[in-house]
Amino acid sequence: MNMPTSPHVLLLVPPLTIIILIMFLQIQTTTSSLSSPKQKPFILPLKIQTLPHGAVSLPTPSSHKISFHHNVTLTVSLTLGSPPQNVTMVLDTGSELSWLHCKKLPNLTSIFNPLLSKTYTPIPCTSPVCMTRTRDFPVPVSCDPKKLCHATISYADASYIEGNLATETFFADGSAQPGTIFGCMDSGFSSNTNEDSKTTGLMGMNRGSLSFVTQMGLPKFSYCISGKDSTGVLLFGEANFNWLGPLKYTPLVKMTTPLPYFDRVAYTVQLEGIRVGNKLLQLPKSILAPDHTGAGQTMVDSGTQFTFLLGPVYTALREEFLSQTKGLLTLLNDTNFVFQGAMDLCYRVSGSGSNSGRVGLPPLPAVTLMFEGAEMSVSGERLLYRVVDDVATRKWNNDLVYCFTFGNSDLLGIEAYVIGHYHQMNVWMEFDLVNSRVGFADTRCELASQRLGI
């Protein structure tokens, strides 16, 4: 999912779900040997890509969300076409339709060229895929002058990208998936020029019928996000590793009735409570569940960097964390500084004597997110994020600035709880589509990558 942030930087792309407004269609997709139960799982490296400061913004899966700027993405590399072309795609569990840049634009260096592929097939506007009207496309698909299916994807920051829907053969781990539907985008306006220049496109991974994992017909996928300088892993298929340990599972929440603020193809789980240290926050159960409009769902999103909570819950967490860290950390005390537009609990930490800018933080109380049947504990360095901002550093006499890695959804106009990838770091995340559940287990992702040969 991608969401809005302030000019102060960083959300894992598609941040709070980059609002990619996409089609929700019931389509019979082609299955290949990849969906065979005898097919071995296959693995791709998952990389954290850091972009220039204040670089990008992307979409999110609902029109009521706002845009944001970020400079971190999770990317995977694979090939498609005949002969195969290499592409790099942003991994986004909050988006559905995958798309690629198919025309060289200013500042764009990474593209897919459909003219060089024998298996590229544009979808005609008479196709059921093109003729179906859905609420997720703000601008309905239409016919271009060549009678091909033309689609426009709008972003929350008023940027957009457009092109033709098409099918192509995607390759992963030596296996082919022909007839995969994607967007071959050749024009548009984007403020994400730095990101666009380094990635070819976006891999939509939610539960919608057009998502990459749905079209591949796979029962589950997993990923493990390493630290900034390490390679993680994206695994399609079963993950039976004796070194991984048991996963804790929480069921996916399903909503059969269409509601204006509920994304029915997101990976939605039920948040039941939050602990700070050993203290349980006193929160009414009703505020943690979707209301009659669908607002208040909890989404697991690789396209958002940090975690965002609805206003009253964020305020309760903020006050309790402040109380338990009093005397351990020095508050920034600058009401004009709000990191990424939604994170207003920041601290000054002395960086003297450290040429690398790395300092030792005091022991901090863990924040535990409690779900139905499982818990996720956020501790240590994942609780605070260092703001890399030269202006801020000069303003506070070269002290380092760290911000609490939970933000206020209300400040972003987001009617949801969103669990971003920063809090999924060094956690094996499994998305089980057959059993409708999400599983996770603490691990060291760089070691997992090494064990899997990456």
Side-chain angles (χ1 to χ4, degrees):
M1 173 182 192
N2 296 291
M3 47 185 17
T5 68
S6 78
H8 280 293
V9 69
L10 238 169
L11 271 182
L12 183 131
V13 66
L16 252 143
T17 328
I18 54 185
I19 274 188
I20 206 173
L21 299 173
I22 36 189
M23 306 194 334
F24 176 64
L25 304 176
Q26 295 302 318
I27 298 171
Q28 183 175 2
T29 56
T30 305
T31 53
S32 72
S33 59
L34 289 179
S35 60
S36 167
K38 296 181 180 180
Q39 176 71 29
K40 293 182 179 179
F42 59 93
I43 302 167
L44 295 172
L46 178 63
K47 297 182 179 180
I48 289 182
Q49 176 173 295
T50 302
L51 304 174
H53 173 70
V56 255
S57 65
L58 266 168
T60 6
S62 292
S63 56
H64 59 278
K65 311 230 167 73
I66 317 172
S67 68
F68 63 98
H69 294 282
H70 58 277
N71 72 346
V72 168
T73 63
L74 296 180
T75 62
V76 293
S77 297
L78 62 161
T79 60
L80 75 158
S82 303
Q85 299 178 43
N86 296 322
V87 296
T88 300
M89 305 179 76
V90 171
L91 179 74
D92 185 14
T93 59
S95 294
E96 182 172 355
L97 181 69
S98 299
W99 56 262
L100 298 169
H101 288 292
C102 291
K103 183 179 180 180
K104 184 142 186 170
L105 302 172
N107 300 314
L108 189 64
T109 60
S110 183
I111 67 169
F112 167 71
N113 188 343
L115 299 177
L116 300 180
S117 175
K118 299 175 183 177
T119 48
Y120 174 82
T121 306
I123 294 175
C125 55
T126 54
S127 166
V129 176
C130 194
M131 295 173 67
T132 302
R133 298 296 181 92
T134 67
R135 67 174 179 84
D136 289 329
F137 263 113
V139 180
V141 291
S142 59
C143 280
D144 71 3
K146 296 181 180 180
K147 304 297 183 182
L148 300 177
C149 186
H150 187 80
T152 300
I153 300 175
S154 297
Y155 299 152
D157 62 356
S159 65
Y160 65 92
I161 191 165
E162 58 182 305
N164 291 329
L165 295 186
T167 63
E168 183 56 280
T169 299
F170 281 69
F171 297 90
D173 198 43
S175 299
Q177 179 70 14
T180 301
I181 300 169
F182 74 107
C184 191
M185 304 309 194
D186 58 13
S187 65
F189 165 77
S190 174
S191 59
N192 304 340
T193 53
N194 285 302
E195 174 169 316
D196 290 345
S197 67
K198 294 186 177 183
T199 60
T200 315
L202 178 141
M203 180 184 288
M205 295 289 287
N206 71 12
R207 297 189 296 122
S209 59
L210 288 184
S211 77
F212 191 77
V213 67
T214 300
Q215 292 195 65
M216 293 180 75
L218 290 170
K220 65 177 63 175
F221 69 94
S222 308
Y223 58 71
C224 201
I225 304 168
S226 299
K228 295 179 182 179
D229 302 322
S230 302
T231 296
V233 58
L234 169 64
L235 183 144
F236 292 97
E238 194 68 46
N240 291 323
F241 308 123
N242 54 17
W243 47 265
L244 184 57
L247 272 66
K248 300 169 288 186
Y249 288 98
T250 186
L252 290 173
V253 176
K254 295 184 178 180
M255 189 74 67
T256 56
T257 304
L259 298 175
Y261 291 104
F262 192 92
D263 184 347
R264 290 191 293 167
V265 293
Y267 295 102
T268 300
V269 295
Q270 182 56 59
L271 181 64
E272 295 194 331
I274 300 176
R275 285 199 314 270
V276 181
N278 295 320
K279 184 172 181 179
L280 179 66
L281 297 183
Q282 297 303 303
L283 301 169
K285 291 291 184 182
S286 60
I287 202 172
L288 299 176
D291 64 17
H292 65 284
T293 70
Q297 73 183 115
T298 301
M299 295 178 278
V300 182
D301 183 15
S302 70
T304 299
Q305 186 170 4
F306 300 116
T307 294
F308 296 85
L309 309 172
L310 293 183
V313 176
Y314 169 75
T315 299
L317 172 60
R318 183 187 192 278
E319 293 307 309
E320 183 59 33
F321 190 80
L322 263 174
S323 174
Q324 293 193 29
T325 57
K326 187 175 182 179
L328 296 176
L329 296 167
T330 303
L331 272 173
L332 192 62
N333 281 329
D334 185 341
T335 57
N336 295 319
F337 187 89
V338 180
F339 182 53
Q340 292 194 356
M343 303 157 81
D344 61 358
L345 179 54
C346 298
Y347 301 93
R348 293 175 61 172
V349 178
S350 175
S352 59
S354 174
N355 294 329
S356 65
R358 295 182 178 180
V359 296
L361 295 172
L364 300 172
V367 175
T368 302
L369 304 176
M370 305 163 63
F371 306 104
E372 180 182 346
E375 295 183 350
M376 177 182 286
S377 182
V378 179
S379 60
E381 62 179 11
R382 291 187 298 161
L383 287 166
L384 298 178
Y385 184 84
R386 182 188 165 192
V387 179
V388 182
D389 188 320
D390 292 338
V391 175
T393 301
R394 290 196 300 270
K395 181 176 180 179
W396 288 296
N397 299 320
N398 292 320
D399 279 356
L400 305 179
V401 177
Y402 283 81
C403 291
F404 193 41
T405 51
F406 291 82
N408 188 340
S409 293
D410 292 3
L411 295 179
L412 299 177
I414 305 298
E415 298 289 340
Y417 301 93
V418 183
I419 301 169
H421 84 278
Y422 194 78
H423 290 163
Q424 300 171 42
M425 192 177 299
N426 285 318
V427 177
W428 186 276
M429 300 292 301
E430 179 184 276
F431 296 80
D432 186 342
L433 304 174
V434 172
N435 296 303
S436 296
R437 61 185 185 174
V438 175
F440 41 88
D442 292 333
T443 188
R444 291 183 61 186
C445 291
E446 67 272 16
L447 295 183
S449 298
Q450 292 173 15
R451 288 177 181 267
L452 295 172
I454 295 179

